[in-house]
Amino acid sequence: MADLSRLSMNHVTLLEQCSMPQFVDVLARNDVRLASLWRDKAREHGVEKTAALVRERGIGVSGYCWGGLLTSPDAGEARQRRDDMRRALDEAALLGAPSLIFVAGGVDEVEKSVGEARKRALEGVADVVQHARDVGVRIALEPLHPMICATRSVLSTTKLANDWCDALAAEDIVGIAVDVYAVWWDPDIEQEIARAGKRVCAFHVSDWLADTKDLRLDRGMMGDGVIDIPRLRRAVEHAGYDGPIEVEIFSQRNWWRRDADEVTRVVRERFVSAV
Amino acid sequence: MADLSRLSMNHVTLLEQCSMPQFVDVLARNDVRLASLWRDKAREHGVEKTAALVRERGIGVSGYCWGGLLTSPDAGEARQRRDDMRRALDEAALLGAPSLIFVAGGVDEVEKSVGEARKRALEGVADVVQHARDVGVRIALEPLHPMICATRSVLSTTKLANDWCDALAAEDIVGIAVDVYAVWWDPDIEQEIARAGKRVCAFHVSDWLADTKDLRLDRGMMGDGVIDIPRLRRAVEHAGYDGPIEVEIFSQRNWWRRDADEVTRVVRERFVSAV
């Protein structure tokens, strides 16, 4: 049973329902004090305006989603993406977010090398580490599910995230985000979370629906799927993480179609009963 | 570049087009000498009749797909599934298949424990090992993609398959099937294939489409996706595997809708150019 004071709502859970001001209103109305901000939504409203808005309304920012896609073999594109990652870090700093979620990027369809893509992603992170330090925002390496390895993220396991952290040797400013949806299947997850220890800087929850229909947009509400979420919560807590728990549900066929207040009420209930 | 003499066609590649006799006709017409048989199709035609048919037509049987689903927490169902696995081994022996592909089974929706499901799957395999030995058919543990962990297979990595082989201590009769579609994303795949060594007893090819739409039925033809298939072929060859290479393409939106001879011609071309 998770403590509601740790609940952070990721804007993506209400992606289709809410602009930034609407999202902040829903949180305030439903007594949710923490938010993980979605970059597109923050930029749509304006990053400085968003920073002022959350400050005024007393909403704490637990994270900023996301920057990255650093796997391109094209030098020009790679440079552009690293610059964009630096801008995302600047925005995160302005918003008061302690960390920026890092999404690695996929595999080039001509090159067809997941190994080369991984090499470039790691080099890309190394290249922006000093900027992250300068602006005081942690880079949260987020292993994503192997089913989106081709298109979104070649960082497929927590073991690889730990290996990258070892290689970067920047424990002060690079951490790991553990998302139950991405890692629940991993036979080594408990040992790799223990290995991560204080690297764990974010914990995301949702659920894996047994009848899932889509590779990205069909996540379930906590309790509606097969993930033993409390087991994973205990694992990150045992590793030393006691920060916000972010609810991040991409759900084209269900939760994105419902009333935002209703979704938020269910999130609060399930946060207590299923996290 | 793979040698066409190693080409084995898995019946599932022509699942929608061909009954067993039609499948065998297509192979004979297109000079494909090896087949991996799909259990539903063999039983539909009759296992003994199928055995006679492939013998008459000079088609070698490289494998039999599949037996398993040994993760149920219900004792009665577990017993039934193990009995069914023994029958599948008997059928494989009758068909002259050197191995039976083992599909572990998924996670119980009430229990929600991938760990318990894994324990029971391993115990289930241990229980049928002696029968496999008695009938002379190898059990090929096939790691399947983590995206089907909930419903089809909790055996999600080649590392776990190796761990199970270590635990079973039955190297004579339990091996590992490497399917590029299931394992290409794995950061440890090369080291785990090397660790597997002579355990590798089957190698399956298809491709991961960048725009894949379905968790099971949208595999691509070799060369149409992002998998570096030759790299994985070299890895299994380096481990000591020089047997048949099975083409296994589940493709609801494309290849299952095409003429069987056309599909088989493309398979032969791509086997040379992209495997």
Side-chain angles (χ1 to χ4, degrees), chain A residues 107 109 112 114 118 145-147 149-151 156-157 159-160 184-188 208 210 212-215 223 225-226 228 231, chain B residues 107 109 112 114 118 145-147 149-151 156-157 159-160 184-188 208 210 212-215 223 225-226 228 231:
Chain A
V107 177
E109 291 184 48
K112 300 188 189 207
V114 64
R118 284 179 175 139
H145 198 285
M147 71 184 167
C149 181
T151 47
S156 307
T157 62
K159 176 170 186 273
L160 189 60
W184 72 275
W185 59 270
D186 185 346
D188 296 327
W208 182 282
T212 188
K213 308 274 188 231
D214 190 89
L215 281 81
V226 302
D228 185 348
R231 180 178 69 93
Chain B
V107 177
E109 290 184 48
K112 302 189 186 206
V114 64
R118 284 179 177 140
H145 198 285
M147 71 184 166
C149 181
T151 47
S156 308
T157 62
K159 175 168 186 276
L160 189 60
W184 71 276
W185 58 272
D186 185 347
D188 296 328
W208 182 282
T212 188
K213 307 274 188 231
D214 189 90
L215 280 81
V226 302
D228 185 348
R231 179 178 70 94

Short mmCIF file of all heavy atoms in Angstrom, two decimals, chain A residues 107 109 112 114 118 145-147 149-151 156-157 159-160 184-188 208 210 212-215 223 225-226 228 231, chain B residues 107 109 112 114 118 145-147 149-151 156-157 159-160 184-188 208 210 212-215 223 225-226 228 231:
data_model
loop_
_atom_site.label_atom_id
_atom_site.label_comp_id
_atom_site.label_asym_id
_atom_site.label_seq_id
_atom_site.Cartn_x
_atom_site.Cartn_y
_atom_site.Cartn_z
N VAL A 107 16.53 1.97 -33.63
CA VAL A 107 17.54 1.38 -34.52
C VAL A 107 17.38 1.97 -35.92
O VAL A 107 16.26 2.06 -36.43
CB VAL A 107 17.34 -0.15 -34.58
CG1 VAL A 107 18.33 -0.79 -35.56
CG2 VAL A 107 17.49 -0.77 -33.20
N GLU A 109 17.03 2.06 -39.70
CA GLU A 109 16.47 1.01 -40.55
C GLU A 109 17.41 0.56 -41.66
O GLU A 109 17.26 -0.53 -42.20
CB GLU A 109 15.13 1.45 -41.14
CG GLU A 109 14.04 1.55 -40.09
CD GLU A 109 12.67 1.90 -40.67
OE1 GLU A 109 12.27 1.27 -41.67
OE2 GLU A 109 12.03 2.82 -40.13
N LYS A 112 20.64 -1.15 -39.39
CA LYS A 112 20.19 -2.37 -38.72
C LYS A 112 21.14 -2.87 -37.65
O LYS A 112 21.42 -4.07 -37.57
CB LYS A 112 20.00 -3.52 -39.74
CG LYS A 112 18.98 -3.22 -40.81
CD LYS A 112 18.71 -4.45 -41.66
CE LYS A 112 17.86 -4.07 -42.87
NZ LYS A 112 17.04 -5.15 -43.37
N VAL A 114 21.56 -2.72 -33.63
CA VAL A 114 21.17 -2.29 -32.29
C VAL A 114 22.41 -1.99 -31.45
O VAL A 114 22.40 -1.11 -30.59
CB VAL A 114 20.22 -3.34 -31.64
CG1 VAL A 114 20.91 -4.68 -31.43
CG2 VAL A 114 19.63 -2.85 -30.34
N ARG A 118 23.20 1.55 -29.63
CA ARG A 118 23.47 1.64 -28.19
C ARG A 118 24.75 2.44 -27.93
O ARG A 118 24.80 3.27 -27.01
CB ARG A 118 23.58 0.24 -27.58
CG ARG A 118 22.21 -0.39 -27.42
CD ARG A 118 22.21 -1.80 -26.84
NE ARG A 118 20.80 -2.20 -26.65
CZ ARG A 118 20.29 -3.40 -26.91
NH1 ARG A 118 21.07 -4.37 -27.34
NH2 ARG A 118 19.02 -3.63 -26.73
N HIS A 145 10.52 -0.95 -22.71
CA HIS A 145 10.22 -2.34 -23.05
C HIS A 145 10.87 -2.76 -24.37
O HIS A 145 10.85 -1.99 -25.34
CB HIS A 145 8.69 -2.51 -23.14
CG HIS A 145 8.27 -3.94 -23.06
ND1 HIS A 145 8.41 -4.82 -24.09
CD2 HIS A 145 7.73 -4.65 -22.03
CE1 HIS A 145 7.97 -6.01 -23.71
NE2 HIS A 145 7.54 -5.93 -22.47
N PRO A 146 11.43 -3.97 -24.43
CA PRO A 146 12.06 -4.45 -25.66
C PRO A 146 11.15 -4.36 -26.90
O PRO A 146 11.64 -4.32 -28.01
CB PRO A 146 12.39 -5.91 -25.33
CG PRO A 146 12.59 -5.92 -23.85
CD PRO A 146 11.61 -4.91 -23.30
N MET A 147 9.85 -4.33 -26.70
CA MET A 147 8.96 -4.27 -27.87
C MET A 147 9.02 -2.93 -28.57
O MET A 147 8.57 -2.80 -29.70
CB MET A 147 7.52 -4.63 -27.48
CG MET A 147 6.79 -3.61 -26.67
SD MET A 147 5.14 -4.25 -26.20
CE MET A 147 4.68 -3.04 -24.95
N CYS A 149 12.06 -1.38 -28.89
CA CYS A 149 13.50 -1.24 -29.15
C CYS A 149 13.77 -0.69 -30.54
O CYS A 149 14.66 0.13 -30.73
CB CYS A 149 14.18 -2.60 -28.98
SG CYS A 149 15.96 -2.59 -29.23
N ALA A 150 13.01 -1.12 -31.53
CA ALA A 150 13.28 -0.72 -32.91
C ALA A 150 13.06 0.78 -33.13
O ALA A 150 13.82 1.43 -33.83
CB ALA A 150 12.40 -1.51 -33.88
N THR A 151 12.02 1.31 -32.49
CA THR A 151 11.60 2.66 -32.84
C THR A 151 11.86 3.72 -31.78
O THR A 151 11.99 4.90 -32.10
CB THR A 151 10.08 2.68 -33.12
OG1 THR A 151 9.43 1.97 -32.05
CG2 THR A 151 9.77 2.01 -34.44
N SER A 156 17.09 -1.37 -23.26
CA SER A 156 16.01 -2.35 -23.09
C SER A 156 15.96 -3.03 -21.73
O SER A 156 14.98 -3.69 -21.42
CB SER A 156 16.13 -3.43 -24.18
OG SER A 156 16.19 -2.84 -25.46
N THR A 157 17.02 -2.92 -20.96
CA THR A 157 17.03 -3.60 -19.65
C THR A 157 17.66 -2.70 -18.58
O THR A 157 18.45 -1.80 -18.87
CB THR A 157 17.84 -4.91 -19.69
OG1 THR A 157 19.20 -4.62 -20.00
CG2 THR A 157 17.28 -5.90 -20.69
N LYS A 159 19.74 -3.87 -16.45
CA LYS A 159 21.16 -4.23 -16.45
C LYS A 159 21.94 -3.30 -17.38
O LYS A 159 23.01 -2.79 -17.00
CB LYS A 159 21.31 -5.68 -16.91
CG LYS A 159 22.77 -6.15 -17.05
CD LYS A 159 22.82 -7.66 -17.25
CE LYS A 159 24.25 -8.19 -17.25
NZ LYS A 159 24.87 -8.13 -18.58
N LEU A 160 21.41 -3.04 -18.56
CA LEU A 160 22.11 -2.15 -19.49
C LEU A 160 22.17 -0.73 -18.93
O LEU A 160 23.20 -0.06 -19.07
CB LEU A 160 21.41 -2.18 -20.87
CG LEU A 160 22.14 -1.48 -22.01
CD1 LEU A 160 23.51 -2.09 -22.27
CD2 LEU A 160 21.31 -1.52 -23.30
N TRP A 184 8.77 -5.33 -15.75
CA TRP A 184 8.19 -6.36 -14.89
C TRP A 184 8.54 -7.78 -15.32
O TRP A 184 8.61 -8.69 -14.50
CB TRP A 184 6.66 -6.21 -14.84
CG TRP A 184 5.99 -6.61 -16.13
CD1 TRP A 184 5.81 -5.83 -17.23
CD2 TRP A 184 5.43 -7.89 -16.44
NE1 TRP A 184 5.19 -6.55 -18.22
CE2 TRP A 184 4.94 -7.81 -17.76
CE3 TRP A 184 5.31 -9.09 -15.74
CZ2 TRP A 184 4.33 -8.90 -18.39
CZ3 TRP A 184 4.70 -10.17 -16.37
CH2 TRP A 184 4.22 -10.06 -17.69
N TRP A 185 8.74 -8.00 -16.60
CA TRP A 185 9.00 -9.32 -17.17
C TRP A 185 10.45 -9.78 -16.95
O TRP A 185 10.77 -10.94 -17.18
CB TRP A 185 8.76 -9.26 -18.68
CG TRP A 185 9.67 -8.22 -19.27
CD1 TRP A 185 9.39 -6.89 -19.44
CD2 TRP A 185 11.02 -8.40 -19.66
NE1 TRP A 185 10.50 -6.23 -19.89
CE2 TRP A 185 11.51 -7.14 -20.05
CE3 TRP A 185 11.87 -9.51 -19.72
CZ2 TRP A 185 12.81 -6.95 -20.49
CZ3 TRP A 185 13.18 -9.32 -20.16
CH2 TRP A 185 13.62 -8.04 -20.55
N ASP A 186 11.33 -8.88 -16.53
CA ASP A 186 12.77 -9.13 -16.55
C ASP A 186 13.17 -10.10 -15.42
O ASP A 186 12.98 -9.78 -14.24
CB ASP A 186 13.49 -7.79 -16.38
CG ASP A 186 15.00 -7.90 -16.49
OD1 ASP A 186 15.53 -9.03 -16.43
OD2 ASP A 186 15.66 -6.85 -16.63
N PRO A 187 13.72 -11.26 -15.78
CA PRO A 187 14.09 -12.23 -14.74
C PRO A 187 15.12 -11.67 -13.75
O PRO A 187 15.22 -12.15 -12.64
CB PRO A 187 14.70 -13.40 -15.53
CG PRO A 187 14.22 -13.25 -16.93
CD PRO A 187 13.98 -11.78 -17.14
N ASP A 188 15.87 -10.65 -14.19
CA ASP A 188 16.93 -10.11 -13.33
C ASP A 188 16.54 -8.80 -12.66
O ASP A 188 17.40 -8.10 -12.10
CB ASP A 188 18.20 -9.87 -14.17
CG ASP A 188 18.76 -11.17 -14.71
OD1 ASP A 188 18.61 -12.20 -14.02
OD2 ASP A 188 19.32 -11.15 -15.82
N TRP A 208 0.22 -3.97 -16.88
CA TRP A 208 0.26 -4.68 -18.16
C TRP A 208 -1.04 -5.48 -18.30
O TRP A 208 -1.27 -6.44 -17.55
CB TRP A 208 1.45 -5.64 -18.21
CG TRP A 208 1.53 -6.34 -19.53
CD1 TRP A 208 0.76 -7.40 -19.94
CD2 TRP A 208 2.36 -6.01 -20.64
NE1 TRP A 208 1.07 -7.74 -21.24
CE2 TRP A 208 2.05 -6.90 -21.69
CE3 TRP A 208 3.34 -5.03 -20.86
CZ2 TRP A 208 2.69 -6.86 -22.92
CZ3 TRP A 208 3.98 -5.00 -22.09
CH2 TRP A 208 3.66 -5.90 -23.10
N ALA A 210 -3.48 -8.18 -19.72
CA ALA A 210 -3.26 -9.48 -20.35
C ALA A 210 -3.66 -9.44 -21.83
O ALA A 210 -3.01 -10.06 -22.66
CB ALA A 210 -4.05 -10.55 -19.61
N THR A 212 -3.47 -6.93 -23.92
CA THR A 212 -2.99 -5.67 -24.50
C THR A 212 -2.99 -5.72 -26.03
O THR A 212 -2.65 -6.72 -26.64
CB THR A 212 -1.59 -5.31 -23.96
OG1 THR A 212 -1.25 -4.02 -24.41
CG2 THR A 212 -0.52 -6.28 -24.41
N LYS A 213 -3.39 -4.60 -26.63
CA LYS A 213 -3.62 -4.56 -28.07
C LYS A 213 -2.58 -3.74 -28.83
O LYS A 213 -2.58 -3.73 -30.05
CB LYS A 213 -4.98 -3.89 -28.37
CG LYS A 213 -6.15 -4.46 -27.62
CD LYS A 213 -6.74 -5.65 -28.35
CE LYS A 213 -8.04 -6.11 -27.70
NZ LYS A 213 -8.04 -7.54 -27.41
N ASP A 214 -1.80 -2.98 -28.12
CA ASP A 214 -0.93 -2.03 -28.82
C ASP A 214 0.44 -2.01 -28.17
O ASP A 214 0.58 -2.24 -26.96
CB ASP A 214 -1.56 -0.63 -28.74
CG ASP A 214 -0.86 0.38 -29.62
OD1 ASP A 214 -1.26 0.50 -30.79
OD2 ASP A 214 0.11 1.04 -29.16
N LEU A 215 1.47 -1.71 -28.96
CA LEU A 215 2.83 -1.74 -28.43
C LEU A 215 3.18 -0.53 -27.58
O LEU A 215 4.19 -0.54 -26.88
CB LEU A 215 3.85 -1.89 -29.57
CG LEU A 215 4.01 -3.32 -30.11
CD1 LEU A 215 2.94 -3.72 -31.08
CD2 LEU A 215 5.38 -3.53 -30.72
N GLY A 223 -3.60 -2.49 -11.01
CA GLY A 223 -4.59 -3.44 -10.49
C GLY A 223 -5.36 -4.16 -11.59
O GLY A 223 -5.96 -5.20 -11.34
N GLY A 225 -4.02 -5.36 -14.40
CA GLY A 225 -3.18 -6.23 -15.21
C GLY A 225 -2.45 -7.28 -14.38
O GLY A 225 -2.91 -7.64 -13.30
N VAL A 226 -1.35 -7.76 -14.90
CA VAL A 226 -0.67 -8.91 -14.27
C VAL A 226 0.61 -8.53 -13.51
O VAL A 226 1.32 -9.40 -13.01
CB VAL A 226 -0.30 -9.98 -15.32
CG1 VAL A 226 -1.55 -10.47 -16.05
CG2 VAL A 226 0.74 -9.46 -16.32
N ASP A 228 2.93 -7.47 -10.55
CA ASP A 228 2.96 -7.42 -9.10
C ASP A 228 3.67 -6.11 -8.72
O ASP A 228 4.88 -6.09 -8.47
CB ASP A 228 3.70 -8.65 -8.55
CG ASP A 228 3.66 -8.71 -7.02
OD1 ASP A 228 3.27 -7.72 -6.38
OD2 ASP A 228 4.03 -9.76 -6.48
N ARG A 231 5.56 -5.65 -5.27
CA ARG A 231 6.87 -6.31 -5.23
C ARG A 231 7.96 -5.38 -5.79
O ARG A 231 9.05 -5.25 -5.22
CB ARG A 231 6.83 -7.61 -6.04
CG ARG A 231 8.15 -8.39 -6.07
CD ARG A 231 8.03 -9.70 -6.86
NE ARG A 231 7.87 -9.51 -8.29
CZ ARG A 231 8.88 -9.47 -9.18
NH1 ARG A 231 10.11 -9.64 -8.78
NH2 ARG A 231 8.63 -9.28 -10.47
N VAL B 107 1.40 -15.77 -17.34
CA VAL B 107 1.24 -15.43 -15.92
C VAL B 107 -0.23 -15.57 -15.54
O VAL B 107 -1.10 -15.09 -16.26
CB VAL B 107 1.71 -13.97 -15.67
CG1 VAL B 107 1.48 -13.56 -14.23
CG2 VAL B 107 3.17 -13.81 -16.07
N GLU B 109 -3.60 -14.58 -14.05
CA GLU B 109 -4.11 -13.22 -13.85
C GLU B 109 -4.52 -12.92 -12.42
O GLU B 109 -4.61 -11.76 -12.02
CB GLU B 109 -5.28 -12.95 -14.80
CG GLU B 109 -4.83 -12.86 -16.25
CD GLU B 109 -5.96 -12.49 -17.21
OE1 GLU B 109 -6.71 -11.55 -16.91
OE2 GLU B 109 -6.10 -13.18 -18.23
N LYS B 112 -0.76 -13.20 -10.35
CA LYS B 112 0.12 -12.08 -10.75
C LYS B 112 1.57 -12.28 -10.35
O LYS B 112 2.21 -11.34 -9.86
CB LYS B 112 -0.36 -10.75 -10.15
CG LYS B 112 -1.78 -10.38 -10.53
CD LYS B 112 -2.10 -8.97 -10.07
CE LYS B 112 -3.57 -8.67 -10.32
NZ LYS B 112 -3.87 -7.27 -10.48
N VAL B 114 5.07 -13.57 -11.95
CA VAL B 114 5.88 -14.12 -13.02
C VAL B 114 6.93 -15.07 -12.44
O VAL B 114 7.31 -16.06 -13.08
CB VAL B 114 6.49 -12.98 -13.89
CG1 VAL B 114 7.45 -12.11 -13.08
CG2 VAL B 114 7.17 -13.51 -15.14
N ARG B 118 7.36 -18.98 -13.50
CA ARG B 118 8.65 -19.52 -13.97
C ARG B 118 9.03 -20.79 -13.21
O ARG B 118 9.50 -21.75 -13.80
CB ARG B 118 9.75 -18.44 -13.84
CG ARG B 118 9.65 -17.41 -14.93
CD ARG B 118 10.66 -16.28 -14.87
NE ARG B 118 10.45 -15.43 -16.04
CZ ARG B 118 10.52 -14.10 -16.05
NH1 ARG B 118 10.83 -13.44 -14.96
NH2 ARG B 118 10.28 -13.44 -17.18
N HIS B 145 9.54 -13.45 -26.91
CA HIS B 145 9.68 -12.02 -26.68
C HIS B 145 8.97 -11.59 -25.38
O HIS B 145 7.85 -12.02 -25.13
CB HIS B 145 9.12 -11.25 -27.88
CG HIS B 145 9.61 -9.84 -27.93
ND1 HIS B 145 9.13 -8.86 -27.09
CD2 HIS B 145 10.55 -9.24 -28.70
CE1 HIS B 145 9.75 -7.72 -27.36
NE2 HIS B 145 10.62 -7.93 -28.33
N PRO B 146 9.62 -10.71 -24.60
CA PRO B 146 8.99 -10.23 -23.37
C PRO B 146 7.58 -9.67 -23.57
O PRO B 146 6.79 -9.65 -22.63
CB PRO B 146 9.96 -9.15 -22.89
CG PRO B 146 11.28 -9.58 -23.41
CD PRO B 146 11.01 -10.21 -24.75
N MET B 147 7.26 -9.23 -24.77
CA MET B 147 5.93 -8.65 -24.97
C MET B 147 4.83 -9.70 -24.90
O MET B 147 3.65 -9.36 -24.78
CB MET B 147 5.86 -7.87 -26.28
CG MET B 147 5.87 -8.69 -27.53
SD MET B 147 5.89 -7.61 -29.01
CE MET B 147 6.34 -8.80 -30.27
N CYS B 149 5.05 -12.19 -22.56
CA CYS B 149 5.31 -12.81 -21.26
C CYS B 149 4.01 -13.07 -20.49
O CYS B 149 3.86 -14.11 -19.85
CB CYS B 149 6.24 -11.91 -20.44
SG CYS B 149 6.68 -12.57 -18.82
N ALA B 150 3.08 -12.14 -20.54
CA ALA B 150 1.85 -12.28 -19.75
C ALA B 150 1.01 -13.47 -20.20
O ALA B 150 0.44 -14.18 -19.38
CB ALA B 150 1.02 -11.01 -19.84
N THR B 151 0.95 -13.68 -21.51
CA THR B 151 -0.03 -14.64 -22.03
C THR B 151 0.56 -15.93 -22.57
O THR B 151 -0.11 -16.96 -22.59
CB THR B 151 -0.82 -13.99 -23.19
OG1 THR B 151 0.11 -13.36 -24.06
CG2 THR B 151 -1.80 -12.98 -22.65
N SER B 156 11.64 -15.52 -21.01
CA SER B 156 11.77 -14.28 -21.77
C SER B 156 13.17 -13.97 -22.29
O SER B 156 13.33 -13.08 -23.12
CB SER B 156 11.31 -13.09 -20.91
OG SER B 156 10.02 -13.33 -20.37
N THR B 157 14.17 -14.68 -21.78
CA THR B 157 15.54 -14.39 -22.23
C THR B 157 16.34 -15.67 -22.44
O THR B 157 16.04 -16.72 -21.84
CB THR B 157 16.32 -13.53 -21.21
OG1 THR B 157 16.44 -14.25 -19.99
CG2 THR B 157 15.65 -12.19 -20.96
N LYS B 159 19.35 -15.98 -21.42
CA LYS B 159 20.01 -16.20 -20.13
C LYS B 159 19.16 -17.12 -19.24
O LYS B 159 19.68 -18.08 -18.66
CB LYS B 159 20.25 -14.87 -19.42
CG LYS B 159 20.83 -15.00 -18.00
CD LYS B 159 21.31 -13.64 -17.50
CE LYS B 159 22.01 -13.70 -16.16
NZ LYS B 159 21.08 -13.67 -15.02
N LEU B 160 17.85 -16.84 -19.20
CA LEU B 160 16.98 -17.68 -18.37
C LEU B 160 16.92 -19.10 -18.93
O LEU B 160 16.93 -20.08 -18.16
CB LEU B 160 15.58 -17.05 -18.29
CG LEU B 160 14.60 -17.69 -17.29
CD1 LEU B 160 15.13 -17.63 -15.86
CD2 LEU B 160 13.22 -17.01 -17.38
N TRP B 184 16.50 -10.56 -30.66
CA TRP B 184 17.42 -9.62 -31.32
C TRP B 184 17.74 -8.39 -30.47
O TRP B 184 18.81 -7.82 -30.58
CB TRP B 184 16.84 -9.16 -32.66
CG TRP B 184 15.66 -8.25 -32.51
CD1 TRP B 184 14.37 -8.61 -32.33
CD2 TRP B 184 15.69 -6.82 -32.52
NE1 TRP B 184 13.58 -7.49 -32.21
CE2 TRP B 184 14.36 -6.38 -32.34
CE3 TRP B 184 16.70 -5.85 -32.68
CZ2 TRP B 184 14.01 -5.03 -32.29
CZ3 TRP B 184 16.35 -4.50 -32.63
CH2 TRP B 184 15.02 -4.11 -32.45
N TRP B 185 16.80 -7.97 -29.64
CA TRP B 185 16.94 -6.75 -28.83
C TRP B 185 17.84 -6.98 -27.61
O TRP B 185 18.23 -6.01 -26.95
CB TRP B 185 15.55 -6.33 -28.32
CG TRP B 185 14.98 -7.46 -27.52
CD1 TRP B 185 14.23 -8.50 -28.01
CD2 TRP B 185 15.20 -7.75 -26.15
NE1 TRP B 185 13.98 -9.41 -27.01
CE2 TRP B 185 14.55 -8.97 -25.85
CE3 TRP B 185 15.88 -7.08 -25.12
CZ2 TRP B 185 14.58 -9.55 -24.58
CZ3 TRP B 185 15.91 -7.66 -23.86
CH2 TRP B 185 15.25 -8.88 -23.60
N ASP B 186 18.14 -8.21 -27.27
CA ASP B 186 18.77 -8.55 -25.99
C ASP B 186 20.24 -8.11 -25.96
O ASP B 186 21.05 -8.60 -26.76
CB ASP B 186 18.66 -10.07 -25.79
CG ASP B 186 19.17 -10.53 -24.42
OD1 ASP B 186 19.84 -9.75 -23.72
OD2 ASP B 186 18.90 -11.69 -24.07
N PRO B 187 20.60 -7.21 -25.04
CA PRO B 187 21.99 -6.74 -24.99
C PRO B 187 22.98 -7.87 -24.73
O PRO B 187 24.16 -7.75 -25.07
CB PRO B 187 21.99 -5.76 -23.81
CG PRO B 187 20.57 -5.37 -23.59
CD PRO B 187 19.75 -6.54 -24.03
N ASP B 188 22.51 -8.98 -24.12
CA ASP B 188 23.40 -10.08 -23.78
C ASP B 188 23.31 -11.25 -24.75
O ASP B 188 23.83 -12.34 -24.44
CB ASP B 188 23.06 -10.59 -22.36
CG ASP B 188 23.31 -9.53 -21.31
OD1 ASP B 188 24.24 -8.73 -21.50
OD2 ASP B 188 22.57 -9.50 -20.31
N TRP B 208 11.88 -8.14 -37.67
CA TRP B 208 11.09 -7.22 -36.86
C TRP B 208 10.81 -5.97 -37.70
O TRP B 208 11.73 -5.20 -38.01
CB TRP B 208 11.84 -6.82 -35.59
CG TRP B 208 11.03 -5.92 -34.72
CD1 TRP B 208 10.82 -4.57 -34.92
CD2 TRP B 208 10.26 -6.27 -33.58
NE1 TRP B 208 9.98 -4.09 -33.95
CE2 TRP B 208 9.62 -5.11 -33.11
CE3 TRP B 208 10.06 -7.47 -32.89
CZ2 TRP B 208 8.79 -5.10 -31.99
CZ3 TRP B 208 9.24 -7.46 -31.78
CH2 TRP B 208 8.61 -6.29 -31.33
N ALA B 210 9.76 -2.28 -38.44
CA ALA B 210 9.82 -1.06 -37.63
C ALA B 210 8.42 -0.58 -37.26
O ALA B 210 8.19 -0.08 -36.17
CB ALA B 210 10.57 0.03 -38.38
N THR B 212 5.74 -2.39 -36.72
CA THR B 212 4.93 -3.55 -36.33
C THR B 212 3.65 -3.13 -35.59
O THR B 212 3.67 -2.22 -34.76
CB THR B 212 5.76 -4.55 -35.50
OG1 THR B 212 5.00 -5.73 -35.32
CG2 THR B 212 6.15 -3.99 -34.14
N LYS B 213 2.56 -3.83 -35.92
CA LYS B 213 1.24 -3.42 -35.43
C LYS B 213 0.66 -4.38 -34.39
O LYS B 213 -0.38 -4.09 -33.81
CB LYS B 213 0.24 -3.40 -36.60
CG LYS B 213 0.66 -2.61 -37.81
CD LYS B 213 0.30 -1.16 -37.66
CE LYS B 213 0.54 -0.41 -38.97
NZ LYS B 213 1.35 0.79 -38.77
N ASP B 214 1.26 -5.54 -34.24
CA ASP B 214 0.61 -6.55 -33.41
C ASP B 214 1.66 -7.25 -32.55
O ASP B 214 2.81 -7.40 -32.96
CB ASP B 214 -0.10 -7.56 -34.31
CG ASP B 214 -0.97 -8.53 -33.53
OD1 ASP B 214 -2.16 -8.20 -33.33
OD2 ASP B 214 -0.49 -9.60 -33.10
N LEU B 215 1.24 -7.72 -31.38
CA LEU B 215 2.20 -8.36 -30.47
C LEU B 215 2.57 -9.78 -30.89
O LEU B 215 3.53 -10.35 -30.36
CB LEU B 215 1.67 -8.35 -29.04
CG LEU B 215 1.85 -7.02 -28.29
CD1 LEU B 215 0.79 -6.01 -28.63
CD2 LEU B 215 1.91 -7.24 -26.79
N GLY B 223 14.85 -9.38 -44.08
CA GLY B 223 15.30 -8.28 -44.93
C GLY B 223 14.37 -7.08 -44.88
O GLY B 223 14.76 -5.97 -45.25
N GLY B 225 12.96 -5.86 -42.12
CA GLY B 225 12.93 -5.22 -40.80
C GLY B 225 14.29 -4.76 -40.35
O GLY B 225 15.18 -4.50 -41.17
N VAL B 226 14.47 -4.66 -39.04
CA VAL B 226 15.68 -4.06 -38.48
C VAL B 226 16.65 -5.07 -37.86
O VAL B 226 17.68 -4.69 -37.29
CB VAL B 226 15.34 -3.00 -37.40
CG1 VAL B 226 14.46 -1.91 -38.00
CG2 VAL B 226 14.68 -3.63 -36.18
N ASP B 228 19.60 -7.62 -37.55
CA ASP B 228 20.82 -8.03 -38.24
C ASP B 228 20.88 -9.56 -38.13
O ASP B 228 21.55 -10.12 -37.26
CB ASP B 228 22.04 -7.37 -37.58
CG ASP B 228 23.33 -7.66 -38.34
OD1 ASP B 228 23.32 -8.55 -39.22
OD2 ASP B 228 24.33 -7.00 -38.03
N ARG B 231 24.31 -11.55 -38.31
CA ARG B 231 25.08 -11.49 -37.06
C ARG B 231 24.64 -12.60 -36.10
O ARG B 231 25.47 -13.28 -35.49
CB ARG B 231 24.89 -10.12 -36.39
CG ARG B 231 25.63 -9.94 -35.07
CD ARG B 231 25.44 -8.54 -34.47
NE ARG B 231 24.09 -8.32 -33.97
CZ ARG B 231 23.69 -8.49 -32.71
NH1 ARG B 231 24.56 -8.88 -31.79
NH2 ARG B 231 22.43 -8.29 -32.35
#
